[in-house]
Amino acid sequence: MGKTLHIVLLIVISAVILAGCGTNTGSDDNTLEVALWDEKISGAVDASIEEFNKEHPDVEVKVTYTPYANYFTKLRTSLGGGSGPDVFWMNGPNFYEYATFGLIKDLEPFIEKDSEFSKDVYFDSVIDLYSHEGHLYAAPYFSDIVGLFYNKRLFDEAGLDYPDETWTWDDIKEKGELLTNKEAGIYGYSASVVSNQAGYYNLIPQAGGYMINEEKTKSGFDSPETREALHFVKDLIDEGIAPTVQTQIESNPRDLFMSGLIAIHPEISVNAEMFYSELGDDLGVAPLPAGKEEATITHGIGWAMNGDTEKEELAWELIKHLSGEKGNQFIAETGFSIPAQEDMSDLWVESIPGLDLQVFIDAQEVAYPYPLSQNTIQWQDIEQAEIQGAFLGYKSIDEALDNVAKEMNLILDTEQID
Amino acid sequence: MSNASALTKPKWSKRKRKEALWAYLFIAPTLLGLFVFYMMPALASFGLSFTNWNGITPPQFIGLDNIVRLFQSGSFIRTLINTFVFTVVSVPMAVILATGIAVLLNQKIKGMVVYRTIYFLPMVTMPVAVGMVWKWLYNTDYGLLNYLLGLLHLPQPAWLFNPNIALLSVIAVYVWMTVGNNIILILAGLQGISQTYYEAAQIDGASKFKQLIKITIPLLTPTLFFVFITGMISSLQVFDLIFIMIGDSHVLLEPLRTLVYGVYESGFEYSQMGYASAQAFLLFLAILTVTIAQFAFQKKWVHYDG
């Protein structure tokens, strides 16, 4: 009796310990785990996986969508623990850290062996975004760029012509004022401070400034141009043409626009489809209005491979299906965003016939790269807290911008030492 | 002597030893779970608090640098103050409110079960859901609360944005959420008080209020003590509510950042595991100190019946 009891005890102990220490990688040879954040693209992803399964019928591909707010926190924690998905989405701000820490695999060896994959067919901007020391670490999936969405119904009611390529900042102010209807709670323009990518990141180069210099050694947040851009935003908010930052934080401008409470709203191309399904033919899109210069922020998403995956051949096959010609075609047809393969642009433009998506393709001419350095996330947190704090009235805009530049320069200095 | 056997080491029969073994076997899964999922991480975190670790490359030993850095950073001091204020305001509020409601609920009237259920409901609701709903209720422009205030022509404050009232707004939700749990515990305590005391008091002509002060409250103190201790421990660790209500806005966080939020932010957002562990360890020390102090202080006010 005593002996069996000991054996039972040992089994319980080892079972619990094994369960506690086990990791997810290699849990099952025939499963590939995929992670990304935007569920709006699920149609295209599923279609590519179906294609992949035609060649690999025995492989099960599990897709997990995690909301963007927690996506990278979760991803990094699981990768740091030696597990995590095999194939996953990567964005610009996080790329440098993942590539340098070896959390994602250098794709160059796979590309060399593989005649089917060529870097030349993709937009240079996305290839550059995911290259580190000349090596590609994430396969370009789609490109996104900012355009000026507007609500035609609100323009008609105000008796105004729709925005076009001749618009400048002055038009935003002028027409925005006419479109604003305080009693009905309608704002003329969104002047987004909560989203830097769709908001003030575009205004800064339009004013002739920059967020970060080309050598990535100096912050441009304290330059006169940046001040001009943010004072433009502040004027619009102060005059009631745009919602206050408090309203923006509590009720995202994107949601207000979809509810017909904002007439003009700059937004990333990936939301075109969602806006169209919400607003239908009331939705229009135009190029961003010019300041001193024309500029529109561009960014893109790539597929990266877990640096520790044991199934690298399969993972590469899947990445190829997702970012290859067929995969791009699926993105184009679902209308999600500009496919990373340049030739697929026309197909995407046709995906929403009621909307002039050509605007986004033409905008590539004045594309301005999303600002990045090694520790983008760190200075972006400071940037957002300072700038939003200023708009909430905790401090002046100029003081906030000085703080951002100071802190950001300190971070950039440490990057030079590494 | 009958108790001589208690002085010498008890000699267990084979049967008794076997029984003890089975007893250990039955608690083994829990014990192991506790060890693997609580003790080991806690010990690891203690060790990590002396290191600089980003979660990927191997940790580097840096001694007490993390602790020094914590006390030099203004935001950690702010965090300590926030957590302290949160606890000192929310726990007594939740206990006093719960005691009042529990006394009212401890009566024989029709439909009492329904009332009790209603008061307990917030407790069985996920904090995440509570946070989401209150975030909408608190919305300055479109929230229900300000809509109602608007109908009454009262000022419509920015509940979560005004740094002066943001912490109080969250405390109100926290109290609302925890009061139900306290009510159940206190109700059980109230029903454990023997009716004979009240009968005796009535015969002596004591008023209802006198009975509450002289009988109910003193005999309830063991329960209140328990409610206080558990309440303090959980409110010192408050995180989920704040994470949901203002988590993605760094600018709003300052007046509301609590200790556990700091741990989460350093560890998982900035990948400074060592720094986060140091904060977690200090939090552990704080909770331990508060709990020991409460146990030491209990002789002064807790009366155990009989």
Side-chain angles (χ1 to χ4, degrees), chain A residues 1 5 8-9 12-13 16-17 20 70 73 76-77 80 97 101 103 187 246-247 249-251 256 261 381 384-385 388-389 392 394, chain B residues 18 21-22 25 28-29 32-33 36-37 54-57 138-142 158 161 163 243 249-252 264 268-271:
Chain A
M1 272 309 273
L5 192 60
V8 172
L9 269 173
V12 173
I13 291 169
V16 173
I17 289 177
N70 305 316
T73 310
R76 200 183 188 288
T77 311
E97 196 194 20
F101 279 137
L103 292 174
Y187 299 98
Q246 178 193 310
T247 302
I249 295 175
E250 284 188 289
S251 319
L256 294 178
L261 294 174
D381 276 353
Q384 292 192 306
Q388 291 181 14
L392 286 172
Y394 300 163
Chain B
K18 217 169 95 184
L21 214 53
W22 277 108
L25 179 67
L32 272 167
V36 172
F37 296 110
N54 62 14
I56 296 158
T57 48
Y138 275 148
N139 188 309
T140 318
D141 306 300
Y142 309 103
F161 283 78
F243 182 74
S249 172
H250 286 270
V251 62
L252 295 190
Y264 169 81
F268 296 102
E269 281 186 15
Y270 300 147
S271 309

Side-chain angles (χ1 to χ4, degrees), chain A residues 13 56 90 99-100 149 151 161 173 198 220 249 299 324 329 362 396:
Chain A
I13 291 169
H56 304 276
M90 184 46 54
T100 49
F149 289 93
N151 188 320
D161 289 336
K173 206 162 198 173
I249 295 175
H299 178 247
Q329 191 189 323
D362 296 343
S396 76

Side-chain angles (χ1 to χ4, degrees), chain B residues 222-264:
Chain B
T223 313
L224 291 177
F225 178 62
F226 175 78
V227 172
F228 256 109
I229 291 224
T230 50
M232 280 218 172
I233 292 175
S234 57
S235 79
L236 282 170
Q237 298 185 58
V238 66
F239 169 73
D240 38 17
L241 206 56
I242 290 173
F243 182 74
I244 292 300
M245 289 179 78
I246 44 113
D248 43 8
S249 172
H250 286 270
V251 62
L252 295 190
L253 207 53
E254 283 320 308
L256 288 163
R257 193 194 299 270
T258 60
L259 276 166
V260 179
Y261 202 97
V263 173
Y264 169 81

Side-chain angles (χ1 to χ4, degrees), chain A residues 44-58:
Chain A
V45 170
D46 291 347
S48 285
I49 290 171
E50 207 171 289
E51 287 289 315
F52 169 82
N53 273 334
K54 279 183 196 160
E55 283 174 36
H56 304 276
D58 51 332

Side-chain angles (χ1 to χ4, degrees), chain B residues 5 58 115 124 132 135 170 180 235 250 292:
Chain B
S5 61
Y115 287 114
V124 291
M132 282 309 288
K135 191 177 169 181
V170 177
S235 79
H250 286 270
I292 289 174

